[in-house]
Structure formats: C-alpha cells, structure tokens
Amino acid sequence: MTREGDALRKRALFEAWMAEHQPFSVPLAEKGEPIHRRSVMARLTSLAGRQKAAEYVYVLSERRPDEVTPAYIGKTRSPAARWNQHLTALAQGEAHYARWRQRFLREGHETVRFDLDLLVVGEPHIAFPPLPGFPTTIGAVEYQLVGLAADAYPLRLLNHEGQAR
C-alpha cells in the first residue's frame, strides 16, 4: 500500500470511530466567538455526568471549511477538572499553550479561528476500538487515536506525546 493509501485508510478508521461516538460531542466555541468558560464547563459537566465513567478519552477538533481536523487527544478521570486546566492555561497562553493560542485564536483577539468541538467518551461507552482487534481501554484508545491522527492529518496534533510514531 502506498503512503497516501495508508494515510487515507487511517483517516477512514479515525473518522468512523469519531462518527460512531458523535453523541458524546459538545461545542467548545464557534468561529469568531470567544470561548465562554462557564457554558463550556456546564455542557462538559452534563455530558460527563450522563456517562458516569471512571475514565474518559477526549478529542478536541477544529471544524475547518474543508474538514474536521483533530487538534488534541487526551484521557482523564475528570473531564471537568482537566478542561478547566486546559482553558485556564489557554487563557494565560504560557508554555506549550502559546501554541494552542496561535492555532485556535485570531491574532490579537480572544476569538476562535474555527469552530471547536470536544468529544468526551467514557470507557463503558466506547462502541469499538479505533483499530479493529485492538483493546478498548481508555489508554489503548487514546494511543490508537493519537497514532491514527498523527499519520492521517497534515496538521500536527498539539499533544507532545505520540507525535513521532
């Protein structure tokens, strides 16, 4: 299989997994709007509360004009606490969150460049693994998603880990 064919196959696997789990997605912000922390946290708390899981995997995606592009993939025991940390750090723009600001926010503004969506799936609600035949534990699913996204999309993930697979 060609490199391009392999990337297309990996993208199809990633997109199929995301589509199946779409009911676990909430908007983070719409293009041209600021990120409203309170409304994001309320939606996220409600979504995680309905799932009542011990662990979650999450995917932050940008809805660009031509496609939906994954930007960050992680795992957590508490989506609300983790995203409170992410949003606080994004607002401050320090360390590697300066890259988040550059990628998501319009220069000189606090408004987002693209629609941002956050998919948060608790372990019991994972319908199938991203890679057929692989485990569906949170750590395994996160690892599979990072690998697929890193290989299938031209924009690099903002994750530090998993980038040079």
Side-chain angles (χ1 to χ4, degrees):
M1 180 177 288
T2 67
R3 180 178 228 164
E4 184 177 300
D6 188 49
L8 289 174
R9 182 184 65 80
K10 289 177 178 180
R11 183 181 288 223
L13 289 169
F14 186 91
E15 290 175 355
W17 193 89
M18 292 291 289
E20 179 66 27
H21 297 90
Q22 196 57 40
F24 302 105
S25 182
V26 295
L28 196 71
E30 292 185 19
K31 180 180 178 178
E33 297 291 326
I35 297 172
H36 298 288
R37 177 192 297 267
R38 284 189 181 147
S39 60
V40 168
M41 295 308 297
R43 287 190 299 267
L44 186 54
T45 300
S46 174
L47 178 62
R50 289 192 314 265
Q51 295 183 63
K52 296 182 180 18
E55 284 191 293
Y56 301 80
V57 65
Y58 59 88
V59 180
L60 175 61
S61 298
E62 301 164 298
R63 275 189 281 131
R64 295 171 173 273
D66 299 347
E67 68 181 354
V68 176
T69 304
Y72 190 90
I73 299 167
K75 63 182 177 180
T76 184
R77 292 187 186 278
S78 174
R82 184 64 181 125
W83 274 90
N84 189 45
Q85 291 171 340
H86 281 315
L87 294 174
T88 298
L90 176 62
Q92 294 169 350
E94 298 173 355
H96 66 272
Y97 287 94
R99 289 188 351 207
W100 286 47
R101 289 183 67 83
Q102 183 180 27
R103 181 151 168 188
F104 298 143
L105 302 181
R106 290 178 44 223
E107 191 171 335
H109 297 87
E110 294 295 317
T111 59
V112 296
R113 297 173 62 212
F114 306 100
D115 293 347
L116 299 175
D117 295 315
L118 182 62
L119 181 114
V120 179
V121 185
E123 190 167 23
H125 302 281
I126 295 174
F128 55 87
L131 293 170
F134 279 67
T136 57
T137 63
I138 290 299
V141 168
E142 177 199 29
Y143 187 83
Q144 293 167 60
L145 290 171
V146 167
L148 290 171
D151 291 347
Y153 291 88
L155 282 176
R156 291 178 56 91
L157 291 172
L158 291 168
N159 300 48
H160 286 294
E161 67 282 349
Q163 285 299 291
R165 294 179 186 267

